[in-house]
Amino acid sequence: MKKILYSIFFLLTSLRISDFSKPIDKHAFHWEDLNLTDIIRMELGNTPLYAASDSWGFVRGSATWARGNSNLLDQVVAGIKNQGLLNTTGTFTSPVTISGMGAATLRLKLKVDSAAITSTAYTGTKIFSNTFEIIKSGSSVPSLQLFFDSAETLEGNDGALMYYKLSEIDPVKFGSAPNAMVESYSFVKSGVKKQTYTWAGGPKNNSWPSDNGRVTLDEITSLGQLCFRSVVRMDLDALIAINPSSATTINFLKTQCGSSIVYYNLAYMQNFAAPFYTTAKMGVTSNAQAGNDTVCNLAGSSLTYGLFDENGFVSDKTSVNQVPSGYPSPNLGTWNVDSAFLRTGTGYTSEAHDNTSSSYIDSLSTTEAAKLSFK
């Protein structure tokens, strides 16, 4: 029963989000080479997962997704810069055919201040110097929108803020969720590069059991490590639609969790350099309870700590003393896996971009929904 319970439940977390399929030479960049479907792709398997590594599915894809978001931003800004457009001022439009999307219009506003822009990732408003938009043919609103100040650095300015609509980029997977939106914000604070990815409006149907979530990343250059934290809200009833033959098991999990709505908490530290050793910690609760590394308090359900290298899953249920040398520390220093996990979930709301409490994840469908939208 326990093995079946875990394998069915962690079907939820087997997200695979692809990076660029082919790197693009920034110096030879052409807009028609921009393949949004390849850059930002979310996929979820529809069969039970039994391998131990599948319990940690989001670890396998999350860093790749973050890298894809960063690369997309870099590609767009580099394309604008390398064509000499940043030396100009004004609004420019151009028709283009984009792989994975079709006919569209590119619109650039260079050195034309944006309106006062709100975001889920910061308080108040910011005014950006440049705007880039992709507008699908026949639409009056963008499919992707990017605001940024500098093509050189995120330090000392307002950073870079991007929005994209999942149903426009991957209509097969997200066509039933026309309002599914992702917000990406990158900035530098006190010398630390930070990124926050926030999404809401997922379909919660027989192909996708989640609606809202947030990922936060900190690049800790002094350690040569990436600190990753996330909370994803999921619906077990939607999981039954994906696996109706496992309804009994999933309903047992609903009873154990006390709700059909659950929150998957994950934190890990990853080395920048190969073999990209990673130490991770995760848990599932009905309220994104910080520090709870079990599956709704089921006895023996803790998988702490999970270890990964460049080939993927290595082991889990690894004690502190068993974590090998070279892997990020579970509990030593200011930046470690335990401290990151304690900042993930309910009870830690230090700054807007860092808030991953269950109440905040819920608010992405209500009071914060207006911020998670094209401007």
Side-chain angles (χ1 to χ4, degrees):
M1 169 64 76
K2 184 179 294 186
K3 182 176 180 180
I4 295 173
L5 180 65
Y6 294 161
S7 62
I8 294 299
F9 178 78
F10 286 115
L11 171 63
L12 286 167
T13 61
S14 61
L15 289 163
R16 184 174 75 254
I17 309 172
S18 69
D19 204 340
F20 283 96
S21 58
K22 296 180 181 179
I24 299 173
D25 183 348
K26 294 181 180 180
H27 297 288
F29 180 82
H30 301 286
W31 298 115
E32 58 268 23
D33 292 331
L34 189 65
N35 190 325
L36 295 176
T37 305
D38 280 350
I39 295 168
I40 308 164
R41 174 170 295 173
M42 295 184 176
E43 296 181 357
L44 183 68
N46 56 8
T47 57
L49 303 173
Y50 294 101
S53 60
D54 290 322
S55 299
W56 298 86
F58 200 35
V59 174
R60 294 176 299 165
S62 55
T64 303
W65 180 38
R67 192 161 57 247
N69 277 270
S70 295
N71 286 346
L72 173 59
L73 188 153
D74 289 343
Q75 293 289 340
V76 170
V77 174
I80 297 170
K81 176 185 176 183
N82 292 337
Q83 294 184 37
L85 296 175
L86 290 178
N87 297 322
T88 62
T89 300
T91 300
F92 310 90
T93 61
S94 176
V96 68
T97 299
I98 297 176
S99 179
M101 178 177 289
T105 297
L106 302 182
R107 181 162 60 195
L108 281 168
K109 297 180 182 178
L110 301 173
K111 299 179 183 177
V112 177
D113 284 349
S114 69
I117 302 297
T118 60
S119 165
T120 70
Y122 54 76
T123 57
T125 62
K126 295 183 183 293
I127 296 174
F128 297 88
S129 301
N130 307 294
T131 304
F132 170 80
E133 296 174 316
I134 299 176
I135 305 170
K136 191 174 182 179
S137 180
S139 178
S140 60
V141 297
S143 296
L144 181 145
Q145 192 175 51
L146 168 66
F147 302 94
F148 65 100
D149 281 337
S150 170
E152 306 295 340
T153 179
L154 298 176
E155 185 83 63
N157 58 56
D158 290 324
L161 178 66
M162 180 170 62
Y163 295 90
Y164 52 87
K165 183 176 285 189
L166 290 169
S167 61
E168 297 285 349
I169 294 172
D170 193 346
V172 175
K173 182 65 64 178
F174 294 98
S176 64
N179 296 319
M181 181 75 72
V182 174
E183 174 192 77
S184 168
Y185 183 55
S186 301
F187 64 106
V188 173
K189 181 177 180 181
S190 301
V192 177
K193 184 178 179 182
K194 298 174 177 287
Q195 302 174 62
T196 298
Y197 305 105
T198 307
W199 66 92
K204 288 203 305 182
N205 57 19
N206 59 5
S207 65
W208 190 260
S210 174
D211 54 357
N212 298 355
R214 169 170 272 186
V215 167
T216 71
L217 303 115
D218 298 273
E219 295 186 10
I220 316 303
T221 54
S222 61
L223 294 176
Q225 294 178 0
L226 172 73
C227 177
F228 174 101
R229 301 187 299 108
S230 73
V231 172
V232 180
R233 185 174 78 173
M234 301 178 180
D235 191 338
L236 296 178
D237 284 333
L239 184 58
I240 291 176
I242 296 174
N243 284 282
S245 63
S246 301
T248 300
T249 301
I250 298 172
N251 280 321
F252 168 78
L253 184 58
K254 283 172 56 179
T255 300
Q256 181 68 32
C257 295
S259 172
S260 176
I261 303 300
V262 295
Y263 301 83
Y264 174 72
N265 293 17
L266 172 68
Y268 64 77
M269 302 288 291
Q270 181 183 70
N271 291 344
F272 288 154
F276 306 108
Y277 287 142
T278 300
T279 308
K281 192 172 187 177
M282 54 79 68
V284 177
T285 70
S286 60
N287 64 352
Q289 180 183 349
N292 189 330
D293 64 350
T294 68
V295 178
C296 292
N297 296 311
L298 277 168
S301 63
S302 174
L303 298 177
T304 302
Y305 295 91
L307 304 180
F308 302 79
D309 61 18
E310 61 189 351
N311 296 314
F313 176 78
V314 175
S315 65
D316 57 18
K317 293 192 175 182
T318 305
S319 69
V320 170
N321 296 331
Q322 292 174 329
V323 175
S325 174
Y327 278 79
S329 173
N331 61 353
L332 299 178
T334 301
W335 292 92
N336 60 65
V337 178
D338 282 355
S339 65
F341 194 66
L342 284 172
R343 298 197 308 275
T344 302
T346 299
Y348 183 80
T349 58
S350 176
E351 300 179 62
H353 75 277
D354 248 357
N355 193 340
T356 51
S357 66
S358 57
S359 60
Y360 187 80
I361 298 301
D362 293 345
S363 75
L364 296 173
S365 299
T366 55
T367 56
E368 289 287 281
K371 295 179 182 178
L372 197 64
S373 62
F374 293 121
K375 311 305 180 185

